[in-house]
Amino acid sequence: MNPPLLSVRGLRTVFPTRRGPVVAADDVDLEIAEGEALGIVGESGSGKSVTFLSVLGLLRPPGRIEAGEILFAGRDLRRLPHAELRALRGRQMALAMQDALSALNPAFTIGTQVTETLLTHRIAPDMRAARAQAAALLTRVGIPAAAERLDDYPHQFSGGMRQRAMIAISLAARPRLLVADEPTTALDVTLRAQVLDLLDTLRREDGLALALITHDLAVVAERCPRVMVMYAGQVVESGPTEAVIARPRHPYTRGLLESLPRLEDPDRPLHPIPGQVPDLARLDPGCRFRNRCGMAIAECAAPVTLQPAGEGRLSRCIRAPEMAP
């Protein structure tokens, strides 16, 4: 594998509340190489989006990064002046949000929103060149008659076309890293496949590093060679996707898989994960999944760290060896 383009170590992101601090991302480590797709999986509130908002410097106050190192192409993002981080974020790191209708400004045309990025980062020298490049970008992401649609507003695009337009805006400056936060939310199966095919093509052709945030393990299984599973703000398992799905080394990952229907066995009963996610403002030092885990023992009340669990794999479970085949 290529050396990491993005390397995060010990990330801890906290939101102060009246009930006490909420640790939304706790001791998160991750790496993504150029041209690689990393799938980040977990239910709502697991810390997936907060982790990458922290990486991109897009946390809204009062949220703050309390600890950790974030290196992008060897540069420490936490030490960069705000102006340099903003320029780097637009030019080399980009975010595609999960709801294109909300992310796109309804008061401006699609062309205006694409050209703004091109002009802000000086990709195009003037408006005429910017419109030509905007049309080329929209064409590349699969929007037909792109030059004619530059003056259309977001509500005039279908859901799939809006999603493509948002990806075009994210890619306008040809970034090296794209964070795609639930990019296929609310899309039908056909449109979902088209958007994911587009991201695969961009990775192959441009060497784009992709962080694909999703709650859908099936998407990760199809598109991402590596997966990172998060629960209650922590990484609980990571490794090659095929191995993690075939032989999970954490009870939470296994619970996610057992709650999914399978085409090859449609009559197989589904087993939802019992219980509730712990209150992030009232955490104790022990395993955060133990109140929902059928394998929990007394030792799970002690702090649990990520440990090697096979070739290229990590698990935050003291009983991971027992889950090996």
Side-chain angles (χ1 to χ4, degrees):
M1 190 175 66
N2 297 327
L5 175 66
L6 175 70
S7 178
V8 177
R9 292 287 177 267
L11 177 67
R12 179 179 174 88
T13 300
V14 178
F15 290 84
T17 71
R18 294 179 180 179
R19 299 173 54 250
V22 170
V23 184
D26 188 11
D27 193 29
V28 174
D29 293 352
L30 66 93
E31 290 184 347
I32 308 177
E34 288 194 89
E36 181 186 20
L38 172 68
I40 302 93
V41 178
E43 58 198 292
S44 297
S46 63
K48 308 184 302 296
S49 296
V50 165
T51 294
F52 283 91
L53 290 175
S54 301
V55 167
L56 296 171
L58 293 174
L59 275 180
R60 292 185 177 181
R64 68 181 188 275
I65 298 175
E66 199 171 77
E69 180 183 69
I70 304 171
L71 298 179
F72 179 81
R75 303 175 71 182
D76 188 344
L77 299 189
R78 294 193 64 197
R79 296 180 181 274
L80 286 184
H82 177 73
E84 288 187 35
L85 178 60
R86 186 173 184 272
L88 186 70
R89 180 169 58 234
R91 184 80 187 203
Q92 298 199 43
M93 303 183 298
L95 171 66
M97 296 184 182
Q98 61 179 294
D99 186 354
L101 189 58
S102 298
L104 295 170
N105 192 324
F108 294 97
T109 65
I110 294 295
T112 297
Q113 295 182 65
V114 181
T115 56
E116 179 185 26
T117 301
L118 294 167
L119 292 170
T120 298
H121 295 288
R122 301 179 181 177
I123 307 300
D126 53 41
M127 180 57 74
R128 182 176 180 179
R131 284 181 64 86
Q133 289 185 36
L137 278 165
L138 293 179
T139 299
R140 189 180 186 201
V141 299
I143 294 178
E148 300 171 16
R149 305 216 63 180
L150 287 175
D151 295 320
D152 287 350
Y153 288 84
H155 73 270
Q156 295 174 277
F157 279 59
S158 67
M161 291 297 103
R162 281 195 296 267
Q163 201 75 27
R164 290 169 179 268
M166 188 175 61
I167 292 171
I169 294 170
S170 301
L171 298 174
R174 299 181 71 88
R176 299 171 70 185
L177 169 68
L178 176 65
V179 177
D181 191 350
E182 300 280 5
T184 57
T185 296
L187 299 182
D188 62 35
V189 174
T190 301
L191 289 176
R192 183 183 76 168
Q194 290 174 356
V195 169
L196 293 172
D197 286 344
L198 168 62
L199 294 176
D200 282 345
T201 299
L202 293 168
R203 279 201 308 117
R204 290 194 305 269
E205 294 181 354
D206 295 353
L208 181 73
L210 176 66
L212 181 61
I213 300 171
T214 181
H215 65 277
D216 192 340
L217 267 171
V219 169
V220 173
E222 293 173 6
R223 308 287 176 163
C224 301
R226 285 200 308 120
V227 64
M228 182 175 84
V229 183
M230 295 191 69
Y231 179 77
Q234 294 182 326
V235 178
V236 295
E237 183 167 3
S238 66
T241 302
E242 185 176 351
V244 168
I245 289 177
R247 299 174 298 280
R249 294 288 191 273
H250 193 282
Y252 177 62
T253 310
R254 185 167 65 182
L256 288 177
L257 292 166
E258 289 180 349
S259 66
L260 296 174
R262 296 183 181 179
L263 288 175
E264 69 273 15
D265 188 8
D267 297 325
R268 184 180 71 92
L270 303 183
H271 301 285
I273 301 173
Q276 301 293 325
V277 177
D279 184 345
L280 296 183
R282 297 285 185 273
L283 293 171
D284 60 42
C287 172
R288 297 180 183 180
F289 188 63
R290 72 181 190 278
N291 65 324
R292 307 175 71 184
C293 180
M295 296 180 67
I297 55 178
E299 287 79 358
C300 297
V304 183
T305 59
L306 276 172
Q307 298 292 331
E311 187 174 352
R313 300 184 61 179
L314 296 170
S315 173
R316 195 181 296 270
C317 180
I318 62 174
R319 302 190 68 181
E322 301 174 40
M323 301 178 68

